[in-house]
Amino acid sequence: MCGIIGYSGKREAAEVLLEGLRNLEYRGYDSAGIALFTQTGLKTYKAQGRLSQLEALLGDRLPDGQCGIGHTRWATHGAPSDVNAHPHASGKVTLVHNGILENYMDLKEILLNKGRIFTSQTDTEVIAQWLDEEYGKTPDPMAAICRTLKVLRGSYALGILFADHPGALYAVRKDSPLIVGLGQGENFIASDVTAILPYTRDYLLMEENEIAVVTPERAGLFTQDGQPFTREASHADWDISAAQKGGYAHFMRKEIDEQPHALEATLSPRLTGESIDFSADGVEDAFLSDFRSIQIVACGTAMHAGLIGKHLIESLARIPVSVNIASEYRYSNPIVGRDDLVIIVSQSGETADTLAALRLAKACGARTLAIVNVVGSSIAREAERVLYTYAGPEIAVASTKAFSVQMAMFYLLALRIASLSGTLSAKAAAVYVEKLKKLPRMVEDTLKAAGSCKEAVSDLVNASDLFYIGRGLDNCLCMEGSLKLKEISYLHSESYAAGELKHGAISLITEKVPVIAVATQPELLEKMVSNMREVKARGGFVLALCRAGSVIPEDAADRVIYLPDSVEEDLFAPLAAIVPLQLIAYEIAVLRGCDVDKPRNLAKSVTVE
Ligand code: F6R
């Protein structure tokens, strides 16, 4: 969603801001803008559309100046337009905003009654005008910010400039991430560490309701009442190459290839000798024992990883698990309490619905465990315990490597919980641990066969509808494969439990409608073959995805993609099978000329409900 970058130092701010915005593009946006202190005063430039529109507006000679703020907007209040783009200015105040101001109508009404005139439809302009009103009463930025914060309701990360304080950046954070980047003779603010990676990896995490004042020499933190305090700096392990394409046409393709490495990084620290150990994560065995049920809560791809997790935990540990869509959880009056373990899954750690669900589970007294990729994110900080996945930065909007490491974490968790609950012997656990160690290699082998996916897409690319069918674990994978395809290629697809197709949706299977049948589980293969034949009998086109050595009769499939021999264990097949599904979606999107890394209407981190 929206991105913020701010700079104060000795470099040309416009260059730093534009580079920062380029590094934030992946979050999804529909307009962009910058404001900076130039020799002739504070100037704002903004444009609807991609960053190239803003660059065209700025022309060949970028405005001079060493301090400024930049923003990529993802419209919530008011359509995408030049006027609604950020920064928004009022009097001496110019600011950018991520989040949603919930009481903006009430505040706007008060401001309108004071005779103020609004030029945009945004909630953000209300904040700018209110702050300017306060600043007019006492021209002290900190005092005006503190007074303004008292009336704002909702979520906001703000980057603020005051026209008569050149060189100083002010920032505020509530329910929307913001960090302060620490350089030598220069400092930054950013909604996301990737924006500042070219300059520094040291930063201060801003917590709820904190204010930052940033100049080239100082980066100070203050409470919401303006009291200064200090905090130890954090260091990002991610380096800039992880956030660059490195010769790939798209981040998504690069991230698909990074899966073996991400799996290794996530699995190996938890595999000690013959068992699984989370003690270095601070997740002690007692935390993973003795509960009534497990509830997994997440959105989108992370929720699909949760479906795999349910299957694994239930089959290995025989403990009931429910998987909940985070946006529904709060409104479903969940039966949750101190006897339950709630597992929250999120790549970004900032998804608003997931965060809200976590807060509810905590309020109900449940044990909360987060599986998160972004260190220091809101969900990671608020959950009782956190297990980090080590996928590195995921830049493409469509999640790939984060999904694989979330699945990997569920393998580890399911096996550990099963050992603790006594349903898995130490000997059996040790066998699984040996197999877990081979998973990165198995995924690497699967990637080597990428060519077969490229060939297969020629049969699918011109379809207008496509179906995915599978059973058990494969059914969960189908949901993810289908989501991947529709989000990046805009090709309509649906995922059906293979046995459920004949209860309605089979009426949509007509001549040449493609159906991808995922059949990696030997004990379900026969049933899957019957389902494929049902499709073939209606003229549909079947592409089967199955294990090496599986026998797929000629009358059941038009084309078969085989996983490599190294996929030995049924339970681990999803980690391999997801690769061809990701590649098929990717190749189709490329052939259809789609903007693979930044699909329309989508944002990487959905920080509004
Ligand atoms: C799809 C995708 C989304 C996210 C979902 C949750 O490719 O990326 O469905 O999985 O928005 O995001 P996180 O994991 O950041 O909470």
Side-chain angles (χ1 to χ4, degrees):
M1 301 217 115
C2 311
I4 291 179
I5 171 84
Y7 177 74
S8 181
K10 295 184 180 57
R11 299 176 204 254
E12 285 307 318
E15 283 172 22
V16 178
L17 298 176
L18 287 174
E19 178 161 15
L21 293 182
R22 270 191 287 276
N23 290 337
L24 290 171
E25 270 193 300
Y26 77 98
R27 294 169 69 99
Y29 70 106
D30 47 53
S31 49
I34 60 171
L36 70 169
F37 290 103
T38 69
Q39 277 171 0
T40 51
L42 185 51
K43 295 270 166 59
T44 296
Y45 307 84
K46 49 190 193 172
Q48 183 190 343
R50 293 291 188 201
L51 267 181
S52 52
Q53 305 296 121
L54 175 64
E55 284 166 328
L57 176 76
L58 290 164
D60 290 338
R61 263 202 75 202
L62 292 179
D64 57 2
Q66 281 80 45
C67 175
I69 47 178
H71 190 262
T72 45
R73 173 174 188 252
W74 192 84
T76 55
H77 296 66
S81 69
D82 292 353
V83 172
N84 288 336
H86 300 205
H88 286 277
S90 173
K92 294 210 164 58
V93 173
T94 296
L95 58 78
V96 292
H97 167 216
N98 284 1
I100 287 184
L101 184 64
E102 280 162 12
N103 59 339
Y104 85 104
M105 289 298 276
D106 299 343
L107 300 183
K108 191 168 181 175
E109 185 75 31
I110 296 169
L111 291 164
L112 285 169
N113 287 336
K114 287 181 193 265
R116 286 197 165 247
I117 293 162
F118 286 81
T119 52
S120 78
Q121 289 88 52
T122 64
D123 50 341
T124 303
E125 193 186 354
V126 174
I127 306 179
Q129 296 235 18
W130 196 281
L131 188 51
D132 182 50
E133 188 78 21
E134 292 293 355
Y135 195 58
K137 291 181 200 156
T138 340
D140 170 3
M142 183 59 78
I145 290 172
C146 292
R147 280 203 304 273
T148 301
L149 294 189
K150 290 196 180 6
V151 303
L152 303 184
R153 221 177 54 234
S155 59
Y156 42 85
L158 301 170
I160 312 165
L161 303 175
F162 290 87
D164 46 0
H165 285 75
L169 279 176
Y170 294 80
V172 178
R173 179 228 155 108
K174 183 181 170 278
D175 283 338
S176 188
L178 204 61
I179 58 164
V180 177
L182 306 172
Q184 301 287 333
E186 59 184 357
N187 291 304
F188 307 79
I189 58 166
S191 48
D192 172 330
V193 76
T194 45
I196 56 163
L197 280 180
Y199 310 101
T200 179
R201 289 204 256 156
D202 297 319
Y203 62 95
L204 298 172
L205 261 175
M206 289 184 71
E207 303 271 3
E208 295 302 79
N209 302 308
E210 290 177 359
I211 303 166
V213 183
V214 173
T215 62
E217 299 78 30
R218 270 208 82 221
L221 292 178
F222 298 80
T223 65
Q224 57 188 325
D225 304 316
Q227 297 306 313
F229 66 92
T230 55
R231 168 168 303 135
E232 213 176 301
S234 304
H235 183 77
D237 292 329
W238 298 352
D239 67 28
I240 186 66
S241 67
Q244 289 172 340
K245 276 192 210 150
Y248 282 85
H250 300 100
F251 278 109
M252 181 178 173
R253 188 65 189 80
K254 174 175 174 253
E255 289 161 4
I256 290 173
D257 270 1
E258 284 171 349
Q259 290 178 113
H261 178 71
L263 287 167
E264 180 72 42
T266 301
L267 289 167
S268 61
R270 282 96 185 194
L271 299 178
T272 54
E274 296 190 333
S275 62
I276 292 161
D277 184 2
F278 291 117
S279 53
D281 296 288
V283 179
E284 65 281 18
D285 286 348
F287 192 82
L288 296 175
S289 319
D290 300 327
F291 30 70
R292 175 178 58 175
S293 77
I294 297 179
Q295 302 185 6
I296 299 172
V297 190
C299 299
T301 290
M303 191 272 291
H304 294 154
L307 291 171
I308 301 274
K310 170 185 162 74
H311 190 101
L312 298 173
I313 298 170
E314 288 189 339
S315 57
L316 289 165
R318 309 305 295 155
I319 293 171
V321 182
S322 66
V323 181
N324 304 268
I325 295 172
S327 56
E328 289 290 309
Y329 190 68
R330 271 201 304 169
Y331 308 105
S332 64
N333 197 6
I335 302 169
V336 61
R338 48 185 305 147
D339 298 330
D340 304 299
L341 173 68
V342 174
I343 304 179
I344 302 286
V345 193
S346 175
Q347 186 283 129
S348 63
E350 300 293 348
T351 303
D353 289 319
T354 315
L355 181 59
L358 164 65
R359 288 178 178 162
L360 173 69
K362 273 178 82 174
C364 294
R367 249 180 270 180
T368 55
L369 171 67
I371 298 176
V372 171
N373 195 44
V374 178
V375 174
S377 53
S378 302
I379 290 172
R381 283 181 292 141
E382 291 193 28
E384 225 177 311
R385 299 282 192 285
V386 57
L387 290 172
Y388 281 114
T389 52
Y390 298 122
E394 191 177 64
I395 306 293
V397 163
S399 189
T400 52
K401 59 178 179 173
F403 178 66
S404 287
V405 291
Q406 286 160 356
M407 282 197 283
M409 194 58 88
F410 275 116
Y411 283 105
L412 293 169
L413 267 176
L415 289 166
R416 189 68 202 142
I417 292 172
S419 294
L420 294 170
S421 67
T423 53
L424 191 71
S425 68
K427 201 164 149 215
V431 173
Y432 275 121
V433 165
E434 281 316 302
K435 289 182 177 172
L436 284 169
K437 289 179 187 163
K438 294 186 191 152
L439 293 182
R441 188 61 192 275
M442 176 187 87
V443 174
E444 210 169 290
D445 291 346
T446 314
L447 280 162
K448 283 185 193 140
S452 57
C453 300
K454 213 165 177 168
E455 282 164 27
V457 299
S458 57
D459 301 322
L460 314 172
V461 65
N462 294 319
S464 50
D465 303 285
L466 199 147
F467 288 82
Y468 289 75
I469 56 170
R471 287 170 178 261
L473 281 169
D474 291 333
N475 181 31
C476 313
L477 275 192
C478 284
M479 292 186 200
E480 176 57 11
S482 171
L483 175 65
K484 226 61 332 165
L485 182 71
K486 50 191 159 219
E487 69 180 320
I488 61 168
S489 75
Y490 317 142
L491 199 168
H492 170 248
S493 76
E494 287 192 48
S495 169
Y496 260 84
E500 182 67 9
L501 196 67
K502 59 184 168 299
H503 295 287
I506 201 161
S507 63
L508 296 170
I509 306 294
T510 53
E511 204 59 26
K512 299 261 177 315
V513 169
V515 176
I516 298 182
V518 183
T520 69
Q521 302 296 306
E523 87 272 16
L524 298 171
L525 187 60
E526 209 175 295
K527 295 259 179 286
M528 279 302 297
V529 166
S530 304
N531 297 137
M532 292 182 218
R533 283 197 173 114
E534 285 161 12
V535 172
K536 289 286 297 163
R538 271 103 194 145
F541 175 93
V542 174
L543 168 63
L545 172 60
C546 58
R547 302 262 289 278
S550 304
V551 179
I552 307 289
E554 264 185 33
D555 64 338
D558 297 272
R559 191 191 273 273
V560 184
I561 295 178
Y562 291 99
L563 295 175
D565 295 337
S566 48
V567 184
E568 292 165 358
E569 167 71 46
D570 305 353
L571 213 55
F572 296 139
L575 274 176
I578 191 57
V579 173
L581 297 182
Q582 293 167 341
L583 287 169
I584 287 170
Y586 172 80
E587 296 295 349
I588 292 180
V590 170
L591 284 176
R592 288 166 70 105
C594 300
D595 190 348
V596 175
D597 285 336
K598 298 186 285 287
R600 69 178 175 222
N601 304 339
L602 289 178
K604 182 66 185 161
S605 166
V606 185
T607 49
V608 295
E609 282 184 43

